[in-house]
Amino acid sequence: MYRKTVSILVVSREILEGSVVDRNAAFMANRIDGLGYRVMSIQVVDRAEAEMVAAIRQAIEQQPTYLIITGGIGPS
């Protein structure tokens, strides 16, 4: 039984366009699971503030132990 949970939020226009394949989320989920944590969700959102805020709120409503936010550092 999992006691700690994790939600992963990936910020990336490139993944949504299909120009980049997301391998990082799968890598993180595998490692997190190996540590005994349960990954509750993995969500990809655009680099738009309103979308990111909405996704963060939605993730927090799930009450994960940890929320990991990654991506969003590519060219605009």
Side-chain angles (χ1 to χ4, degrees):
M1 173 176 235
Y2 298 101
R3 294 185 179 200
K4 295 186 179 180
T5 57
V6 177
S7 289
I8 300 171
L9 179 61
V10 181
V11 179
S12 175
R13 169 92 309 250
E14 294 80 12
I15 291 173
L16 293 172
E17 291 173 346
S19 60
V20 172
V21 175
D22 182 11
R23 292 185 181 109
N24 292 330
F27 174 81
M28 288 188 295
N30 182 269
R31 291 294 178 104
I32 290 166
D33 187 70
L35 293 171
Y37 293 61
R38 178 177 169 260
V39 176
M40 297 173 64
S41 65
I42 300 173
Q43 183 177 2
V44 181
V45 298
D46 203 350
R47 293 185 308 245
E49 182 178 354
E51 292 181 35
M52 290 186 286
V53 169
I56 291 168
R57 285 186 176 143
Q58 181 182 11
I60 290 172
E61 286 176 6
Q62 295 177 19
Q63 298 183 332
T65 307
Y66 299 101
L67 171 58
I68 297 173
I69 302 172
T70 184
I73 59 172
S76 294

